[in-house]
Amino acid sequence: MSSKRIEDYAMIGDGQTVALVDRGGSIDWLCWSRFDSDACFAALLGTAENGCWSMTTHDPNPRLSRSYCGNTLVLETVFATATGKVRLIDFMPVRNDGCSAIIRIVTCLEGTVAMRSDLRLRFDYGSVAPWFSTEDGAITGKVGPDLVVARSD
């Protein structure tokens, strides 16, 4: 089971659903695409195998600070390591075309910092792993009517 405390999570959202992001940069809870949908990230209820999306440094003990940008649900986490400092911005834009999205932006602030992204997409509250495929530079995870597309440059 997860040993994280609920007060260690921050919330990002788009008005129709929310994701919970832990202090270390892992999205551990998300019912997508609406609040009443099944969770596709459910590590909050179990382990990473129940679905999460972590974005962190290779350094196992970075110094962390995080805050919301102004009066928004845009979350900024700064990781400082012995070799440098990076900023992770997490947010979900307000929907204008019916589609929900999570945006994660990593910016190096100083030095060099090795980063790691681990996407463990699981549908039905962490019980079903999707079929993955790649096309046009995107990774698609699909189970029945559930579909998630991940894009990165």
Side-chain angles (χ1 to χ4, degrees):
M1 288 296 283
S2 173
S3 61
K4 298 174 187 173
R5 302 173 312 170
I6 193 67
E7 59 264 27
D8 290 335
Y9 285 92
M11 180 177 74
I12 59 173
D14 65 7
Q16 294 183 38
T17 195
V18 297
L20 296 179
V21 185
D22 81 356
R23 289 187 183 279
S26 181
I27 298 174
D28 288 349
W29 181 258
L30 174 62
C31 291
W32 222 355
S33 66
R34 302 179 343 200
F35 286 111
D36 60 348
S37 299
D38 290 350
C40 63
F41 297 141
L44 179 71
L45 302 179
T47 69
E49 292 305 314
N50 296 102
C52 66
W53 184 7
S54 67
M55 183 87 63
T56 190
T57 67
H58 280 276
D59 183 328
N61 297 306
R63 291 180 315 281
L64 299 170
S65 65
R66 75 175 178 177
S67 61
Y68 287 106
C69 299
N71 257 351
T72 71
L73 286 181
V74 176
L75 181 64
E76 177 181 281
T77 305
V78 176
F79 299 88
T81 70
T83 60
K85 189 185 299 187
V86 296
R87 175 177 49 229
L88 170 63
I89 301 285
D90 288 314
F91 66 98
M92 296 178 76
V94 175
R95 301 178 196 195
N96 61 8
D97 62 358
C99 292
S100 181
I102 296 173
I103 309 295
R104 305 194 90 185
I105 302 169
V106 177
T107 306
C108 187
L109 301 174
E110 61 186 61
T112 304
V113 179
M115 296 291 292
R116 175 179 61 238
S117 179
D118 184 14
L119 177 62
R120 295 180 185 211
L121 185 62
R122 302 292 186 268
F123 293 105
D124 195 23
Y125 296 96
S127 65
V128 181
W131 177 264
F132 287 103
S133 62
T134 58
E135 185 177 326
D136 299 326
I139 298 171
T140 301
K142 183 173 175 45
V143 171
D146 297 318
L147 171 75
V148 172
V149 178
R151 292 184 179 88
S152 179
D153 59 359

PDB file of all heavy atoms in Angstrom, residues 16-35:
ATOM      1  N   GLN A  16     -13.811  19.728 -14.890  1.00  0.00           N
ATOM      2  CA  GLN A  16     -14.642  18.538 -15.015  1.00  0.00           C
ATOM      3  C   GLN A  16     -14.010  17.306 -14.372  1.00  0.00           C
ATOM      4  O   GLN A  16     -14.674  16.301 -14.161  1.00  0.00           O
ATOM      5  CB  GLN A  16     -14.943  18.252 -16.485  1.00  0.00           C
ATOM      6  CG  GLN A  16     -15.803  19.348 -17.103  1.00  0.00           C
ATOM      7  CD  GLN A  16     -16.168  19.047 -18.529  1.00  0.00           C
ATOM      8  OE1 GLN A  16     -16.438  17.894 -18.872  1.00  0.00           O
ATOM      9  NE2 GLN A  16     -16.189  20.054 -19.366  1.00  0.00           N
ATOM     10  N   THR A  17     -12.709  17.406 -14.043  1.00  0.00           N
ATOM     11  CA  THR A  17     -12.021  16.367 -13.301  1.00  0.00           C
ATOM     12  C   THR A  17     -10.774  16.964 -12.669  1.00  0.00           C
ATOM     13  O   THR A  17     -10.398  18.097 -12.990  1.00  0.00           O
ATOM     14  CB  THR A  17     -11.671  15.147 -14.185  1.00  0.00           C
ATOM     15  OG1 THR A  17     -11.316  14.047 -13.340  1.00  0.00           O
ATOM     16  CG2 THR A  17     -10.545  15.459 -15.151  1.00  0.00           C
ATOM     17  N   VAL A  18     -10.148  16.216 -11.758  1.00  0.00           N
ATOM     18  CA  VAL A  18      -8.909  16.671 -11.119  1.00  0.00           C
ATOM     19  C   VAL A  18      -7.923  15.514 -11.044  1.00  0.00           C
ATOM     20  O   VAL A  18      -8.298  14.348 -11.047  1.00  0.00           O
ATOM     21  CB  VAL A  18      -9.122  17.224  -9.689  1.00  0.00           C
ATOM     22  CG1 VAL A  18     -10.009  18.450  -9.705  1.00  0.00           C
ATOM     23  CG2 VAL A  18      -9.664  16.172  -8.754  1.00  0.00           C
ATOM     24  N   ALA A  19      -6.649  15.875 -10.971  1.00  0.00           N
ATOM     25  CA  ALA A  19      -5.565  14.915 -10.736  1.00  0.00           C
ATOM     26  C   ALA A  19      -4.877  15.319  -9.447  1.00  0.00           C
ATOM     27  O   ALA A  19      -4.786  16.505  -9.125  1.00  0.00           O
ATOM     28  CB  ALA A  19      -4.577  14.938 -11.906  1.00  0.00           C
ATOM     29  N   LEU A  20      -4.381  14.337  -8.711  1.00  0.00           N
ATOM     30  CA  LEU A  20      -3.631  14.588  -7.487  1.00  0.00           C
ATOM     31  C   LEU A  20      -2.160  14.283  -7.745  1.00  0.00           C
ATOM     32  O   LEU A  20      -1.809  13.193  -8.194  1.00  0.00           O
ATOM     33  CB  LEU A  20      -4.154  13.727  -6.339  1.00  0.00           C
ATOM     34  CG  LEU A  20      -5.599  14.013  -5.916  1.00  0.00           C
ATOM     35  CD1 LEU A  20      -6.010  13.081  -4.778  1.00  0.00           C
ATOM     36  CD2 LEU A  20      -5.781  15.462  -5.515  1.00  0.00           C
ATOM     37  N   VAL A  21      -1.295  15.271  -7.442  1.00  0.00           N
ATOM     38  CA  VAL A  21       0.142  15.192  -7.701  1.00  0.00           C
ATOM     39  C   VAL A  21       0.868  15.177  -6.364  1.00  0.00           C
ATOM     40  O   VAL A  21       0.681  16.084  -5.547  1.00  0.00           O
ATOM     41  CB  VAL A  21       0.622  16.405  -8.537  1.00  0.00           C
ATOM     42  CG1 VAL A  21       2.088  16.263  -8.901  1.00  0.00           C
ATOM     43  CG2 VAL A  21      -0.244  16.603  -9.771  1.00  0.00           C
ATOM     44  N   ASP A  22       1.704  14.157  -6.138  1.00  0.00           N
ATOM     45  CA  ASP A  22       2.435  14.099  -4.872  1.00  0.00           C
ATOM     46  C   ASP A  22       3.627  15.051  -4.889  1.00  0.00           C
ATOM     47  O   ASP A  22       3.971  15.628  -5.917  1.00  0.00           O
ATOM     48  CB  ASP A  22       2.825  12.658  -4.512  1.00  0.00           C
ATOM     49  CG  ASP A  22       4.062  12.138  -5.212  1.00  0.00           C
ATOM     50  OD1 ASP A  22       4.655  12.834  -6.068  1.00  0.00           O
ATOM     51  OD2 ASP A  22       4.452  10.997  -4.916  1.00  0.00           O
ATOM     52  N   ARG A  23       4.260  15.221  -3.741  1.00  0.00           N
ATOM     53  CA  ARG A  23       5.379  16.163  -3.606  1.00  0.00           C
ATOM     54  C   ARG A  23       6.540  15.838  -4.536  1.00  0.00           C
ATOM     55  O   ARG A  23       7.277  16.720  -4.955  1.00  0.00           O
ATOM     56  CB  ARG A  23       5.892  16.184  -2.164  1.00  0.00           C
ATOM     57  CG  ARG A  23       4.960  16.847  -1.208  1.00  0.00           C
ATOM     58  CD  ARG A  23       5.609  16.986   0.166  1.00  0.00           C
ATOM     59  NE  ARG A  23       4.687  17.573   1.105  1.00  0.00           N
ATOM     60  CZ  ARG A  23       4.445  18.866   1.203  1.00  0.00           C
ATOM     61  NH1 ARG A  23       5.058  19.702   0.408  1.00  0.00           N
ATOM     62  NH2 ARG A  23       3.586  19.316   2.090  1.00  0.00           N
ATOM     63  N   GLY A  24       6.716  14.569  -4.877  1.00  0.00           N
ATOM     64  CA  GLY A  24       7.830  14.162  -5.720  1.00  0.00           C
ATOM     65  C   GLY A  24       7.551  14.205  -7.210  1.00  0.00           C
ATOM     66  O   GLY A  24       8.378  13.798  -8.004  1.00  0.00           O
ATOM     67  N   GLY A  25       6.371  14.687  -7.630  1.00  0.00           N
ATOM     68  CA  GLY A  25       6.065  14.823  -9.045  1.00  0.00           C
ATOM     69  C   GLY A  25       5.328  13.659  -9.674  1.00  0.00           C
ATOM     70  O   GLY A  25       5.331  13.502 -10.888  1.00  0.00           O
ATOM     71  N   SER A  26       4.656  12.834  -8.873  1.00  0.00           N
ATOM     72  CA  SER A  26       3.898  11.703  -9.405  1.00  0.00           C
ATOM     73  C   SER A  26       2.403  11.994  -9.350  1.00  0.00           C
ATOM     74  O   SER A  26       1.870  12.346  -8.298  1.00  0.00           O
ATOM     75  CB  SER A  26       4.199  10.432  -8.604  1.00  0.00           C
ATOM     76  OG  SER A  26       3.477   9.332  -9.125  1.00  0.00           O
ATOM     77  N   ILE A  27       1.729  11.838 -10.490  1.00  0.00           N
ATOM     78  CA  ILE A  27       0.270  11.928 -10.520  1.00  0.00           C
ATOM     79  C   ILE A  27      -0.236  10.549 -10.115  1.00  0.00           C
ATOM     80  O   ILE A  27      -0.080   9.581 -10.852  1.00  0.00           O
ATOM     81  CB  ILE A  27      -0.249  12.331 -11.913  1.00  0.00           C
ATOM     82  CG1 ILE A  27       0.285  13.703 -12.287  1.00  0.00           C
ATOM     83  CG2 ILE A  27      -1.777  12.303 -11.932  1.00  0.00           C
ATOM     84  CD1 ILE A  27      -0.047  14.147 -13.712  1.00  0.00           C
ATOM     85  N   ASP A  28      -0.822  10.473  -8.926  1.00  0.00           N
ATOM     86  CA  ASP A  28      -1.238   9.194  -8.345  1.00  0.00           C
ATOM     87  C   ASP A  28      -2.748   8.975  -8.360  1.00  0.00           C
ATOM     88  O   ASP A  28      -3.208   7.906  -7.957  1.00  0.00           O
ATOM     89  CB  ASP A  28      -0.741   9.088  -6.897  1.00  0.00           C
ATOM     90  CG  ASP A  28       0.758   8.870  -6.809  1.00  0.00           C
ATOM     91  OD1 ASP A  28       1.400   8.589  -7.832  1.00  0.00           O
ATOM     92  OD2 ASP A  28       1.293   8.996  -5.685  1.00  0.00           O
ATOM     93  N   TRP A  29      -3.519   9.961  -8.796  1.00  0.00           N
ATOM     94  CA  TRP A  29      -4.969   9.787  -8.868  1.00  0.00           C
ATOM     95  C   TRP A  29      -5.516  10.631 -10.006  1.00  0.00           C
ATOM     96  O   TRP A  29      -5.201  11.816 -10.128  1.00  0.00           O
ATOM     97  CB  TRP A  29      -5.656  10.206  -7.568  1.00  0.00           C
ATOM     98  CG  TRP A  29      -7.141   9.997  -7.628  1.00  0.00           C
ATOM     99  CD1 TRP A  29      -8.112  10.938  -7.837  1.00  0.00           C
ATOM    100  CD2 TRP A  29      -7.829   8.746  -7.517  1.00  0.00           C
ATOM    101  NE1 TRP A  29      -9.350  10.350  -7.860  1.00  0.00           N
ATOM    102  CE2 TRP A  29      -9.200   8.998  -7.669  1.00  0.00           C
ATOM    103  CE3 TRP A  29      -7.402   7.431  -7.318  1.00  0.00           C
ATOM    104  CZ2 TRP A  29     -10.167   7.991  -7.614  1.00  0.00           C
ATOM    105  CZ3 TRP A  29      -8.361   6.432  -7.256  1.00  0.00           C
ATOM    106  CH2 TRP A  29      -9.732   6.716  -7.396  1.00  0.00           C
ATOM    107  N   LEU A  30      -6.326  10.016 -10.851  1.00  0.00           N
ATOM    108  CA  LEU A  30      -7.022  10.732 -11.921  1.00  0.00           C
ATOM    109  C   LEU A  30      -8.168   9.888 -12.434  1.00  0.00           C
ATOM    110  O   LEU A  30      -7.951   8.776 -12.925  1.00  0.00           O
ATOM    111  CB  LEU A  30      -6.071  11.056 -13.086  1.00  0.00           C
ATOM    112  CG  LEU A  30      -6.719  11.678 -14.326  1.00  0.00           C
ATOM    113  CD1 LEU A  30      -7.357  13.037 -14.006  1.00  0.00           C
ATOM    114  CD2 LEU A  30      -5.707  11.809 -15.447  1.00  0.00           C
ATOM    115  N   CYS A  31      -9.383  10.377 -12.282  1.00  0.00           N
ATOM    116  CA  CYS A  31     -10.549   9.810 -12.948  1.00  0.00           C
ATOM    117  C   CYS A  31     -10.706  10.606 -14.235  1.00  0.00           C
ATOM    118  O   CYS A  31     -10.944  11.808 -14.197  1.00  0.00           O
ATOM    119  CB  CYS A  31     -11.808   9.940 -12.079  1.00  0.00           C
ATOM    120  SG  CYS A  31     -11.753   8.899 -10.617  1.00  0.00           S
ATOM    121  N   TRP A  32     -10.559   9.922 -15.354  1.00  0.00           N
ATOM    122  CA  TRP A  32     -10.534  10.631 -16.637  1.00  0.00           C
ATOM    123  C   TRP A  32     -11.606  10.093 -17.529  1.00  0.00           C
ATOM    124  O   TRP A  32     -11.768   8.892 -17.640  1.00  0.00           O
ATOM    125  CB  TRP A  32      -9.178  10.413 -17.286  1.00  0.00           C
ATOM    126  CG  TRP A  32      -8.574  11.619 -17.921  1.00  0.00           C
ATOM    127  CD1 TRP A  32      -9.129  12.848 -18.065  1.00  0.00           C
ATOM    128  CD2 TRP A  32      -7.282  11.711 -18.493  1.00  0.00           C
ATOM    129  NE1 TRP A  32      -8.263  13.689 -18.679  1.00  0.00           N
ATOM    130  CE2 TRP A  32      -7.120  13.019 -18.961  1.00  0.00           C
ATOM    131  CE3 TRP A  32      -6.239  10.813 -18.670  1.00  0.00           C
ATOM    132  CZ2 TRP A  32      -5.964  13.454 -19.587  1.00  0.00           C
ATOM    133  CZ3 TRP A  32      -5.093  11.245 -19.280  1.00  0.00           C
ATOM    134  CH2 TRP A  32      -4.956  12.558 -19.739  1.00  0.00           C
ATOM    135  N   SER A  33     -12.404  10.809 -18.089  1.00  0.00           N
ATOM    136  CA  SER A  33     -12.278  12.220 -18.379  1.00  0.00           C
ATOM    137  C   SER A  33     -13.173  13.103 -17.508  1.00  0.00           C
ATOM    138  O   SER A  33     -13.137  14.324 -17.642  1.00  0.00           O
ATOM    139  CB  SER A  33     -12.602  12.460 -19.856  1.00  0.00           C
ATOM    140  OG  SER A  33     -13.966  12.173 -20.127  1.00  0.00           O
ATOM    141  N   ARG A  34     -13.926  12.482 -16.597  1.00  0.00           N
ATOM    142  CA  ARG A  34     -14.780  13.256 -15.697  1.00  0.00           C
ATOM    143  C   ARG A  34     -14.622  12.733 -14.271  1.00  0.00           C
ATOM    144  O   ARG A  34     -14.081  11.663 -14.051  1.00  0.00           O
ATOM    145  CB  ARG A  34     -16.249  13.142 -16.122  1.00  0.00           C
ATOM    146  CG  ARG A  34     -16.535  13.598 -17.513  1.00  0.00           C
ATOM    147  CD  ARG A  34     -17.983  13.454 -17.895  1.00  0.00           C
ATOM    148  NE  ARG A  34     -18.717  12.553 -17.010  1.00  0.00           N
ATOM    149  CZ  ARG A  34     -19.858  11.977 -17.328  1.00  0.00           C
ATOM    150  NH1 ARG A  34     -20.391  12.178 -18.498  1.00  0.00           N
ATOM    151  NH2 ARG A  34     -20.474  11.192 -16.486  1.00  0.00           N
ATOM    152  N   PHE A  35     -15.132  13.507 -13.315  1.00  0.00           N
ATOM    153  CA  PHE A  35     -15.059  13.105 -11.905  1.00  0.00           C
ATOM    154  C   PHE A  35     -15.658  11.720 -11.672  1.00  0.00           C
ATOM    155  O   PHE A  35     -15.181  10.968 -10.829  1.00  0.00           O
ATOM    156  CB  PHE A  35     -15.826  14.094 -11.015  1.00  0.00           C
ATOM    157  CG  PHE A  35     -15.143  15.409 -10.821  1.00  0.00           C
ATOM    158  CD1 PHE A  35     -15.664  16.569 -11.372  1.00  0.00           C
ATOM    159  CD2 PHE A  35     -13.977  15.509 -10.085  1.00  0.00           C
ATOM    160  CE1 PHE A  35     -15.049  17.784 -11.187  1.00  0.00           C
ATOM    161  CE2 PHE A  35     -13.349  16.715  -9.896  1.00  0.00           C
ATOM    162  CZ  PHE A  35     -13.890  17.857 -10.452  1.00  0.00           C
TER     163      PHE A  35
END
